[in-house]
Amino acid sequence: MTRASSSSSSRRVTLVLLGLRLLLLVGVAQAVVELVPADDNIAAAAAGTAVDDGEPPQQCATPVSVEEACRGASETHAGVAYDHCMASLGADPRSKEAGNKNMHGLAVLATRMAIDHAASTESKIDDLAELEAASSDPQARARFNHCLEQYGGAADLLRDALDNLKAKIYGKAMEQLTAAMGASESCEDAWKGEEEDVPVAAHDREYGRMAHIAFGFTHHAAVAAAAA
C-alpha cells in the first residue's frame, strides 16, 4: 500500500470516528432535553414548588364574615362606621363569596365598590355642571369643575389601587387609597362660605365612607398576609 493510500484510509477512519462521536453527543443531548421540564422555571420544578404563572401565590383560604371584617375595620380605623359598613357590604350579594375566600377578597370587593361610588358621583356632578353651564356665575362653574377633577383623579387612583391589591402589593394599594380619600373633602371645601348647600353632599359623603372601608379592609388583608 502506498503512503498516499494509507493516509487516505487513515483520514476516512478518523472521519468515521468523529461521526460516531457526534451521533453519541447528539443522542445524549436529546436525552437531557427530554428530562428537563419544558418550562422557564426549572429551579421551581426541581424544588417541587409551584410554577409562577404570573399570578400572586395562593394562600390557604381563611373565610371572613362581613360582620367580622366590619368590626375589625371600625375598631382600628376612625373613618369606618360599623353600622354603615354592615349596611353597605351586607347588601351586596358578592360579599358572601368574597368573604368565603379571605380578607383579601373582601378588600378587593370594597375597592371595586369605592370605584363605583367615585364614578357615579363624578357622573352626578357632570350632570349638575351641565345645568350650571347656562348660569352666568363663573364661581359656580369653577366649583363643579374642581369636583370633577377631584373625582376623575380619585377614580384613576382607585383603579390603580385595585390592580396593586390584586397583585397583593398592599403598601402601594394603601397609599393610593389614602390619596383617593381626599376627593370628597376637597369637593365639599369648594362650597365653604357659600349660602347654598353642597349639591352632591349625599353622594360625596357616601363615597368618602366607602373609600375608608376599602382602606380598612386592605390594611387588615395586609396584616393577615404578613402573619400567614
Side-chain angles (χ1 to χ4, degrees):
M1 182 182 293
T2 64
R3 182 177 297 180
S5 176
S6 176
S7 176
S8 177
S9 297
S10 178
R11 282 198 298 270
R12 282 198 294 271
V13 170
T14 301
L15 288 174
V16 168
L17 289 174
L18 286 173
L20 289 173
R21 285 184 181 180
L22 287 172
L23 288 173
L24 180 60
L25 289 173
V26 170
V28 171
Q30 288 176 339
V32 171
V33 169
E34 290 175 359
L35 291 173
V36 175
D39 191 281
D40 291 335
N41 291 317
I42 297 173
T49 57
V51 175
D52 183 7
D53 58 0
E55 295 293 329
Q58 297 297 315
Q59 298 175 351
C60 294
T62 304
V64 178
S65 69
V66 173
E67 182 178 0
E68 290 173 318
C70 288
R71 182 180 293 112
S74 65
E75 289 175 353
T76 54
H77 298 279
V80 179
Y82 173 77
D83 291 339
H84 175 267
C85 181
M86 284 295 296
S88 299
L89 273 294
D92 195 307
R94 296 172 294 178
S95 63
K96 185 176 181 180
E97 180 182 354
N100 283 339
K101 295 178 181 178
N102 48 25
M103 194 66 217
H104 177 88
L106 284 173
V108 168
L109 174 59
T111 303
R112 282 181 174 143
M113 292 174 69
I115 293 172
D116 292 342
H117 277 291
S120 63
T121 303
E122 183 182 11
S123 178
K124 180 65 176 178
I125 294 171
D126 193 31
D127 291 341
L128 292 172
E130 287 184 6
L131 293 175
E132 195 67 33
S135 170
S136 58
D137 184 0
Q139 288 186 339
R141 291 196 297 274
R143 288 193 292 270
F144 280 115
N145 287 336
H146 173 75
C147 288
L148 282 173
E149 289 177 1
Q150 291 300 306
Y151 275 97
D156 289 340
L157 281 168
L158 288 170
R159 292 185 187 100
D160 289 341
L162 180 59
D163 288 340
N164 282 311
L165 180 53
K166 288 179 179 178
K168 298 187 179 180
I169 307 174
Y170 294 111
K172 187 63 177 178
M174 285 190 287
E175 286 180 14
Q176 291 161 331
L177 284 167
T178 300
M181 287 180 195
S184 57
E185 185 176 349
S186 180
C187 181
E188 292 199 16
D189 283 347
W191 264 268
K192 281 186 177 179
E194 300 296 327
E195 294 182 0
E196 60 179 309
D197 294 329
V198 181
V200 290
H203 294 273
D204 213 38
R205 287 163 192 164
E206 184 62 25
Y207 161 74
R209 290 175 173 179
M210 199 66 239
H212 276 282
I213 292 173
F215 178 87
F217 281 14
T218 299
H219 176 253
H220 278 264
V223 172

